[in-house]
Amino acid sequence: VFVFCFFFVSIFFRKFFFDFFFAMAIRAPVGRLELLSWVNAAQDTDYHRIEHLRDGVAYCQIFDAVHPRKAAWQEQFNTTCSEIKRIYEDSIEPVEKRYQYELFKPTYFSDTLKPNKPLVLFLGPFSAGKSTFINYLLGHDCLWTGPQPTTDKFTIIMHGTEESKISGRILTSNPELPFRGLAEFGNQFLETLEGIQVPADFLKNISLIDTPGVLESAREVHSRAYDYMKVTRWFIERADLVFVLFDPSKLDAGMELRSMFQQFKGHESKLRMVLNKADQCAPQELMRVYGSLFWNLSTLISTTEPPRVYVSSFWNKPYRGDHNKELFDEEKADLMYDLLEVVPLQCLDKRVTAVMQRALDVQIHAHIVGTMKEKMPSLIGKAKAKKEMLQNMSKIYDEVSAKYKLTSADFPKQEQYQAFFDHSQVHMSEMPKLSDFEKETKKGSENGLKKLERVIRFDLPKLLHPITQAAAIDPRKARKEKQGSSTAPPDKSVYLNQVAAQHAKQQPPASLEGQTTTDA
C-alpha cells in the first residue's frame, strides 16, 4: 500500500509541476512580428504580414518539417493540383473575368488545372514503328501494325479496367478529360479521333497518343480533311514529352515533315528522337545512318544543342543479329527511365510554370487595358481616343513597362489588341480603370493586383521542386586541408605545386627526349 501511494503521489506531483511550468511558459507574450520573423527564418520565406499565413502553406511546410514522411506520388500530385486550382480561382480568375482575358486569348485553360496524367506524343513518318513502339511499351499488341500505313487516326491510349474504345466526340465532350479544345477542329477531324482504354500498369502514370504518319508527297498532304499541322501543334503544346520516330531506310525530309518540325517552336525541350529498327543495320552502317539523321535534323531544328536520340529496336521480338545488343538494351533502359520517372516528376513543375505564365499574361493584360481605360475621355470622343491609342500601342507598352516594372518582351503583339477591341462582345466601358479595380477588390491591405503579384512572386514558386544549395566552403580552411597543416602560412605554394604536378604529367617520357617531334 505504501509503495502504491508513493507511486500515485509522485505521478500526481509530476503532472502538476509539468502543467504549471508549461502554462507559465506559454503565457510569455509573443508578438505578431516575432512569430512572422520566426516563420520566415525557419522556412526561408518572405511573408510581410501575419494575414498572409492564412492559406495554410506555411503550416503544412512546418508540419512536414517536424514530422517528415514520404507521401505517395498520387497523393502529392493531387494535393499540388488542388493548390494550383485554389490559387487560380482565388487570385488569377477574378482579374481574367474583369478584363475579359478569355476573349483576348481563348483557351480551355481550366483543363490545365485538372489532375490529369502526363501525355506522351508519338510522331514520325508512316511505317516508322510508332504503333509497334506503343505495343512494346504496353506489353501486348493493342494497336494494329503492318509494313504499310495502318494508323489514319489520332489514338489516345489511357488506363482502364477493361479494354474498350471511345469515340472522338465522347472524348471532346467529357469535362473530366483535357481534350475539349479539339472540338474546334470540326466534325471531320473528330471522325479521325478515338480513345482506347487498356488495363496496363504502364498507363497508370502516363497516357500515350499515337498519330497518323507524316506524308511525303504534296498530293497526299492535300488529301487530309483537316489541318494536320494545327492539330499537331495543339498536341505538342499540351504534351509533356514528344517522340519523333525514324526508320533507318526513310530519313528523307519531305514537305510535311519540315512543316511538322516548325510546330516545335517554343517547345524544343520536349523533343526526343528515336532511330527505330536499328537492329537491321550492321555496326558500320548504323554509324552512317546515325550521322545522316543528324545531318537532316540540322536543317529542321533551330536549336544550338541537338535533341536526345535513342538508338534501338522497339518491338516485342528478339533483335536481328548479335551486334550492338548491349547498346540497344542500355538505350531502352534510358528511354524507360525518362518515361516512367522523369516525365511524371517534371509534370507538376510544368503545371505550376504554366499557371505562372498565365498569371503573368493576365497581369500584363490588366495593366495595358486598365491604362488605356484611364486615358479615355469621360464623355465625348471615346471612339477617336481608342483609335489613336490602338495606332500608338508602342507608347502604351513603354508607359506600362516603365511604371509597373514589367518586361516588354513578354507583352503580346500589338495587332492582337486591335483584333481584341474589334470583337463584337468586347466593350471598354465594361472594364475598369486600374485605380477603380484596386478599390473594388481591396481586402485589408491587399487589392486584386497586389494579390496577383504575390501569387507570381511567392505562392506559385513555393510549389516548384525545391533547389538545395550547399554551404560555401571557407577557402582558407580548404587551402590548409590541401597543405595538410592547420598552421599553414597564407601563401600560394599549394596551388603552385598543383600546377607543377600537372605539367609533369604532360611531359613526354625520358626515352623520347632528344627525338624530333615527328619521330615522337
Side-chain angles (χ1 to χ4, degrees):
V1 172
F2 175 77
V3 173
F4 175 78
C5 292
F6 178 79
F7 180 73
F8 177 79
V9 170
S10 63
I11 292 177
F12 173 78
F13 276 103
R14 184 181 301 173
K15 184 177 185 307
F16 171 78
F17 281 113
F18 176 79
D19 292 344
F20 174 77
F21 284 111
F22 182 75
M24 293 297 293
I26 64 175
R27 287 177 184 173
V30 177
R32 294 155 64 95
L33 295 179
E34 293 178 282
L35 180 61
L36 194 64
S37 62
W38 177 80
V39 171
N40 288 332
Q43 298 298 321
D44 193 19
T45 52
D46 192 21
Y47 292 107
H48 299 290
R49 297 182 61 83
I50 201 72
E51 290 80 8
H52 295 167
L53 302 176
R54 63 178 178 267
D55 57 4
V57 175
Y59 170 79
C60 293
Q61 291 175 342
I62 294 173
F63 190 84
D64 288 341
V66 176
H67 303 283
R69 63 188 181 93
K70 188 175 181 180
W73 167 249
Q74 189 63 39
E75 180 183 352
Q76 180 185 354
F77 186 83
N78 294 335
T79 302
T80 306
C81 289
S82 299
E83 182 64 15
I84 292 173
K85 183 178 180 181
R86 185 197 66 79
I87 291 175
Y88 173 77
E89 294 177 347
D90 184 50
S91 305
I92 303 174
E93 193 175 27
V95 185
E96 279 188 16
K97 292 181 177 179
R98 203 66 182 90
Y99 287 98
Q100 303 182 24
Y101 185 76
E102 190 63 31
L103 291 176
F104 177 71
K105 192 175 182 180
T107 56
Y108 285 94
F109 186 75
S110 57
D111 293 342
T112 308
L113 309 175
K114 298 173 183 176
N116 296 309
K117 298 172 184 176
L119 295 176
V120 178
L121 179 64
F122 293 86
L123 298 170
F126 70 90
S127 299
K130 298 185 294 296
S131 301
T132 306
F133 190 1
I134 293 176
N135 288 337
Y136 165 77
L137 296 175
L138 299 180
H140 68 285
D141 293 340
C142 172
L143 303 176
W144 186 45
T145 61
Q148 71 281 1
T150 57
T151 303
D152 61 346
K153 293 185 177 182
F154 284 84
T155 307
I156 302 170
I157 302 99
M158 303 172 291
H159 183 267
T161 55
E162 59 183 14
E163 192 165 328
S164 61
K165 288 189 177 183
I166 307 172
S167 68
R169 288 183 174 83
I170 295 177
L171 286 174
T172 55
S173 60
N174 191 335
E176 299 300 323
L177 298 176
F179 307 116
R180 291 187 299 165
L182 290 171
E184 68 182 69
F185 298 110
N187 291 327
Q188 290 182 323
F189 166 73
L190 296 182
E191 293 293 332
T192 65
L193 176 68
E194 68 174 6
I196 298 179
Q197 288 185 316
V198 182
D201 293 338
F202 182 84
L203 297 175
K204 290 182 178 180
N205 292 328
I206 60 176
S207 297
L208 310 177
I209 303 172
D210 192 15
T211 61
V214 175
L215 302 177
E216 295 179 352
S217 65
R219 183 175 58 83
E220 291 175 328
V221 171
H222 291 300
S223 66
R224 296 191 192 271
Y226 57 91
D227 194 329
Y228 177 81
M229 288 305 147
K230 287 185 178 180
V231 175
T232 302
R233 175 71 182 185
W234 190 94
F235 277 111
I236 290 174
E237 289 176 347
R238 287 152 183 81
D240 294 274
L241 196 65
V242 182
F243 287 104
V244 180
L245 280 75
F246 285 95
D247 187 320
S249 61
K250 301 175 183 177
L251 298 180
D252 295 334
M255 182 181 68
E256 192 169 53
L257 186 63
R258 293 180 179 275
S259 300
M260 186 198 73
F261 273 101
Q262 293 177 2
Q263 310 307 315
F264 281 96
K265 188 175 182 180
H267 301 276
E268 291 85 359
S269 61
K270 302 178 182 180
L271 180 60
R272 301 290 188 275
M273 315 298 294
V274 177
L275 183 57
N276 200 16
K277 307 178 184 180
D279 58 345
Q280 298 178 359
C281 304
Q284 189 174 6
E285 184 184 0
L286 182 60
M287 293 177 61
R288 294 172 181 168
V289 171
Y290 189 80
S292 299
L293 177 61
F294 267 95
W295 176 265
N296 293 336
L297 291 178
S298 64
T299 63
L300 300 176
I301 304 175
S302 57
T303 57
T304 56
E305 183 178 356
R308 173 70 161 92
V309 178
Y310 300 94
V311 181
S312 187
S313 183
F314 297 92
W315 64 341
N316 294 320
K317 296 181 181 180
Y319 299 129
R320 300 171 184 172
D322 298 331
H323 49 271
N324 296 327
K325 279 188 175 181
E326 293 184 2
L327 170 65
F328 296 158
D329 289 341
E330 290 178 0
E331 292 288 278
K332 283 184 177 180
D334 289 347
L335 188 143
M336 296 301 293
Y337 174 77
D338 278 352
L339 272 178
L340 296 179
E341 296 195 29
V342 176
V343 172
L345 289 174
Q346 292 179 347
C347 177
L348 279 179
D349 286 351
K350 288 182 179 179
R351 288 174 183 269
V352 175
T353 53
V355 178
M356 289 176 63
Q357 184 60 48
R358 178 78 169 192
L360 180 61
D361 293 342
V362 171
Q363 182 190 38
I364 291 173
H365 175 74
H367 282 89
I368 290 174
V369 176
T371 302
M372 293 177 67
K373 184 62 183 292
E374 289 179 347
K375 294 181 176 296
M376 291 286 288
S378 302
L379 298 176
I380 58 175
K382 294 184 178 181
K384 182 180 179 181
K386 184 175 76 170
K387 184 178 180 180
E388 291 178 353
M389 281 189 290
L390 291 175
Q391 292 176 350
N392 299 282
M393 286 298 294
S394 57
K395 294 183 179 180
I396 302 291
Y397 280 17
D398 293 340
E399 180 180 344
V400 171
S401 176
K403 186 175 181 180
Y404 301 104
K405 296 180 175 61
L406 298 174
T407 306
S408 58
D410 297 330
F411 286 21
K413 295 181 179 180
Q414 301 179 15
E415 295 79 10
Q416 290 182 257
Y417 279 104
Q418 295 176 358
F420 173 63
F421 285 110
D422 288 340
H423 200 286
S424 59
Q425 299 180 11
V426 175
H427 302 284
M428 188 174 283
S429 58
E430 299 176 358
M431 290 179 276
K433 302 177 181 178
L434 286 178
S435 55
D436 295 339
F437 180 72
E438 290 174 350
K439 291 179 183 178
E440 70 182 43
T441 58
K442 188 172 184 179
K443 292 181 180 180
S445 63
E446 268 192 335
N447 57 54
L449 295 177
K450 286 187 177 179
K451 196 174 185 181
L452 185 62
E453 176 72 19
R454 175 170 58 84
V455 162
I456 296 172
R457 295 184 60 190
F458 301 109
D459 293 355
L460 286 173
K462 291 176 190 173
L463 301 177
L464 293 171
H465 188 73
I467 300 175
T468 57
Q469 296 183 352
I473 301 176
D474 188 346
R476 296 166 296 182
K477 182 179 179 181
R479 175 175 49 78
K480 290 178 182 179
E481 291 177 353
K482 290 179 180 179
Q483 289 179 320
S485 172
S486 59
T487 59
D491 55 23
K492 299 182 292 184
S493 60
V494 60
Y495 303 106
L496 293 175
N497 294 336
Q498 288 181 359
V499 174
Q502 291 176 356
H503 283 303
K505 291 180 180 180
Q506 297 172 359
Q507 293 296 327
S511 59
L512 297 180
E513 291 182 2
Q515 297 182 12
T516 62
T517 306
T518 306
D519 296 336

